[in-house]
Amino acid sequence: MEMEQLLSMGFSSELAAQALAATGGKSTLKATEWILSHKPSNPNPNPSPPPFQPKLDRFFHLQTKLSPSPPSPEPTATAPAPSIRIVPQNDPDDDSATPSPLHKHKRQKLQHPKPTIQLGKTDHQTHEPLPERMRPRTVFEVVGQDHILGNNSLLRSAIDRNRIPSIIFWGPPGSGKTSIAKSIVNSAQERSSYRFVSLSAVTSGVKDVRDAVEEARRMRIKNNKRTVLFVDEVHRFNKSQQDSFLPVIEDGSIVFMGATTENPSFHLITPLLSRCRVLTLNPLKPHHVETLLKRAVNDQEKGLLRSIGMRVDVKDDALQFLSMNCDGDARVALNALEISATTAAARVADNQPKQKGVGLELDRDFDSVGSEENEISSFAAVVTVDDVKEALQCKHLAYDKAGDEHYNLISALHKSMRGSDADAAIYWLARMLEGGEEPLYIARRLIRFASEDVGLADPLALNQAVSCYQACHFIGMPECNVILAQCVTYLALAPKSIAVYRAIGAAQKVVRESVGQNEGVPLHLRNAPTKLMKELGYGKDYIYPPDNPSSSTQSYLPPSLQGYKFLDWPSQNSAQQNRNS
């Protein structure tokens, strides 16, 4: 196999055999490298160029130089054959170097003039997403989080006094956690006394944290500069990884800032929480999102002009639609705006006449944007509601099947049914289904609700809930949505009773607390299948109720629990009335 590949590349059978013998005969790549890095043992004074494959890189992507020696001079008729040298693919072209025979057939790289930005085109620097470019630089540019950035807030006071504390930012995606952390450092009274270091818990480990801490200690000793260590998605660190922050926060080596979308009470260790202040961020309101979108449209340095290379006009209804359908996530809104603008720019490029001079050039650093504004304005891209809808595809829903929103929504559904509000119950059901919730999970919760909240007031509710689960299992989504809605409506409108729920809870409490010393079953209630058990008194004096329907003297509780009442139900009111405390 290896010999055939070497022969197909143009090498002689003798040379291929030598290469395979020298390299073990198992790797065509190693054999090829051996051939290219060794001179012939008996060179001919007037050699003819050996057969070679001018496009070897079709077969192998050689990334290292095989010959450390400098390139040989250009061969003459009497000079020996030069040693062949493989140049890395990513080496810069050297115009002064003399090409070797191996490369004389290689297509030369085109020499491009200084790159410029043409109308509707962008440079490589604009590949940075619009949300990243539009991050606020100071806390004064942050919108929508006035409850933590107001004039008398903890953060504003800390910034004014140059005493930044360790903080955990908890909020939904796109609410500004990372942006606020960076802007706090930029807004400090003594900006030069802080340095900002960012890590991601997704890609970093304890070693990265230790390296950052060591560097922070060196900087503090050398330059008296404190390090703000920001860890994004900090909830992804396990317990031992979170423990590594404790001593360095304690001794002041770093100012710690973490960002999480998960509830810190469940995902962060208590010692870390005790050393930080937890600040909750809210989803942005539509008018806050609209403010950010307008800022991106009007900012000629970092905004949409930078993204698509032409002026952009966004219709007011498009801005309103986008701000209303991003679920308070600024990142979603800005990304959708950028995609919408790209769609509009492509439409302009397709519709504009193909004439000379249309390719208006903008300077790479956009210093000339203002002077050419009139020319550009004639080619403005107009973003409409249809463009925004195409960019969003569907309304963005903030939902996490394993996070807080999952439990918040099922709690809202449960409480709406308990309150007999069928409309609200159907709404929360729809929210969960549109968010991608597993329908069988909802059906299981409905079975629980049927016993916990409806109970004996309508015993058929449990049948309805079990049937709902089975039907959802049979047909799945999306067809089972109406089955879930029917069951939710039935349970919401059904009469409610928590008598059974309270009864089992009270009984379990008695058992856990050993109120009756959890004594054995009374002898008359025990089964006596053998003669020995009967002789021991098992089942003695037991009264069989079907034969004695009027008998009410028989006791079924242990002696220590006589008089206890767990179920409060009308049919039991004539029975025992007293409950011992």
Side-chain angles (χ1 to χ4, degrees), residues 1 77 108 167 267 360 445 548:
M1 181 65 180
Q108 297 298 315
I167 302 169
H267 294 272
L360 178 64
R445 300 311 305 164
N548 301 275

Side-chain angles (χ1 to χ4, degrees), residues 309-570:
M310 67 169 64
R311 187 170 63 82
V312 180
D313 289 337
V314 184
K315 298 293 187 180
D316 290 340
D317 54 350
L319 288 176
Q320 293 173 3
F321 182 87
L322 186 53
S323 62
M324 292 290 295
N325 288 272
C326 66
D327 244 25
D329 189 329
R331 186 181 293 107
V332 168
L334 289 169
N335 279 329
L337 178 64
E338 189 171 30
I339 296 172
S340 304
T342 302
T343 302
R347 185 168 58 247
V348 171
D350 291 341
N351 294 335
Q352 69 183 10
K354 306 296 184 181
Q355 57 184 356
K356 186 175 181 180
V358 168
L360 178 64
E361 293 186 350
L362 303 178
D363 189 71
R364 172 177 289 275
D365 59 8
F366 288 86
D367 288 339
S368 60
V369 169
S371 62
E372 298 176 349
E373 186 175 0
N374 292 333
E375 283 185 276
I376 301 172
S377 62
S378 61
F379 297 104
V382 179
V383 176
T384 64
V385 173
D386 291 336
D387 296 326
V388 172
K389 290 180 178 179
E390 180 65 21
L392 281 176
Q393 294 294 312
C394 63
K395 177 178 170 59
H396 177 264
L397 295 174
Y399 190 74
D400 184 352
K401 290 195 288 183
D404 272 4
E405 200 63 15
H406 163 80
Y407 296 105
N408 289 340
L409 287 177
I410 193 63
S411 177
L413 173 62
H414 198 128
K415 289 179 172 63
S416 298
M417 292 190 298
R418 179 181 294 155
S420 300
D421 190 335
D423 296 307
I426 292 175
Y427 169 76
W428 294 119
L429 171 66
R431 282 279 297 271
M432 297 184 75
L433 293 177
E434 289 299 312
E437 183 57 76
E438 174 62 39
L440 292 182
Y441 167 78
I442 302 175
R444 287 194 296 271
R445 300 311 305 164
L446 297 182
I447 294 174
R448 166 72 183 195
F449 182 91
S451 285
E452 177 182 336
D453 286 272
V454 177
L456 297 178
D458 184 359
L460 292 178
L462 184 58
N463 295 345
Q464 289 280 341
V466 172
S467 298
C468 173
Y469 179 90
Q470 293 174 337
C472 291
H473 177 71
F474 291 154
I475 66 175
M477 281 291 287
E479 287 83 359
C480 73
N481 62 339
V482 69
I483 298 171
L484 288 167
Q486 175 182 333
C487 187
V488 163
T489 304
Y490 183 96
L491 296 177
L493 299 179
K496 308 296 190 296
S497 170
I498 60 172
V500 174
Y501 172 70
R502 285 180 172 172
I504 186 62
Q508 288 179 318
K509 181 180 179 181
V510 166
V511 173
R512 286 194 301 267
E513 297 176 356
S514 299
V515 174
Q517 291 78 47
N518 290 333
E519 56 187 299
V521 177
L523 289 176
H524 70 282
L525 296 180
R526 298 186 185 186
N527 189 28
T530 68
K531 180 180 179 181
L532 175 62
M533 298 172 77
K534 290 180 180 178
E535 291 175 351
L536 293 175
Y538 283 26
K540 184 179 181 181
D541 299 328
Y542 172 68
I543 301 174
Y544 188 55
D547 294 339
N548 301 275
S550 60
S551 176
S552 60
T553 59
Q554 184 165 249
S555 173
Y556 296 93
L557 282 172
S560 59
L561 293 179
Q562 291 299 322
Y564 263 78
K565 185 178 180 183
F566 300 107
L567 179 64
D568 183 12
W569 192 247

Side-chain angles (χ1 to χ4, degrees), residues 6-289:
L6 292 175
L7 294 177
S8 68
M9 296 178 190
F11 298 117
S12 66
S13 58
E14 180 181 359
L15 188 58
Q18 292 178 3
L20 291 173
T23 58
K26 296 182 179 180
S27 173
T28 308
L29 176 60
K30 291 182 178 179
T32 307
E33 292 177 350
W34 186 91
I35 293 173
L36 297 178
S37 60
H38 287 73
K39 295 181 180 180
S41 56
N42 294 313
N44 193 322
N46 297 305
S48 60
F52 64 93
Q53 171 59 270
K55 295 295 289 182
L56 276 177
D57 56 350
R58 287 190 310 166
F59 300 92
F60 307 103
H61 300 288
L62 301 179
Q63 299 291 336
T64 57
K65 296 181 180 179
L66 301 180
S67 176
S69 60
S72 303
E74 186 173 352
T76 61
T78 59
S83 60
I84 300 176
R85 186 167 173 260
I86 302 300
V87 180
Q89 292 179 359
N90 58 352
D91 275 3
D93 291 336
D94 187 359
D95 295 337
S96 62
T98 302
S100 64
L102 180 64
H103 296 89
K104 67 181 181 179
H105 297 291
K106 186 176 181 180
R107 184 170 61 185
Q108 297 298 315
K109 197 172 183 179
L110 295 177
Q111 299 298 321
H112 296 285
K114 180 181 179 180
T116 57
I117 297 177
Q118 293 187 344
L119 181 64
K121 297 184 179 181
T122 60
D123 67 350
H124 71 282
Q125 295 177 355
T126 60
H127 291 311
E128 188 178 35
L130 181 62
E132 186 65 29
R133 299 200 308 270
M134 294 305 300
R135 286 192 185 276
R137 288 164 290 190
T138 67
V139 293
F140 304 103
E141 297 179 5
V142 177
V143 299
Q145 306 298 343
D146 295 337
H147 63 291
I148 63 173
L149 290 172
N151 291 330
N152 297 321
S153 64
L154 179 150
L155 281 183
R156 185 62 65 85
S157 300
I159 293 171
D160 293 341
R161 302 299 299 171
N162 205 45
R163 296 285 296 176
I164 301 177
S166 292
I167 302 169
I168 299 291
F169 294 104
W170 173 32
S175 57
K177 298 181 293 294
T178 303
S179 298
I180 292 177
K182 292 182 177 180
S183 65
I184 287 174
V185 177
N186 293 332
S187 304
Q189 290 293 325
E190 298 180 14
R191 171 68 183 89
S192 59
S193 63
Y194 289 98
R195 58 189 289 266
F196 187 87
V197 177
S198 179
L199 296 177
S200 172
V202 178
T203 57
S204 303
V206 173
K207 182 181 182 300
D208 302 288
V209 174
R210 288 174 180 167
D211 293 342
V213 170
E214 289 301 319
E215 180 64 20
R217 286 171 173 163
R218 286 194 294 268
M219 292 295 293
R220 189 173 186 184
I221 295 173
K222 182 179 179 180
N223 300 326
N224 195 27
K225 181 176 289 190
R226 300 193 67 189
T227 297
V228 175
L229 179 60
F230 176 76
V231 181
D232 197 14
E233 305 293 339
V234 66
H235 60 273
R236 294 183 180 270
F237 274 160
N238 58 35
K239 182 180 182 298
S240 62
Q241 290 173 317
Q242 294 181 38
D243 283 336
S244 65
F245 294 118
L246 303 182
V248 294
I249 297 175
E250 189 90 18
D251 63 18
S253 298
I254 63 169
V255 175
F256 179 78
M257 291 189 183
T260 177
T261 57
E262 304 296 337
N263 192 327
S265 301
F266 302 135
H267 294 272
L268 300 183
I269 59 176
T270 303
L272 181 59
L273 294 178
S274 71
R275 288 163 172 80
C276 303
R277 304 282 70 78
V278 177
L279 300 181
T280 304
L281 278 67
N282 300 323
L284 300 180
K285 301 295 184 183
H287 66 276
H288 294 142
V289 177

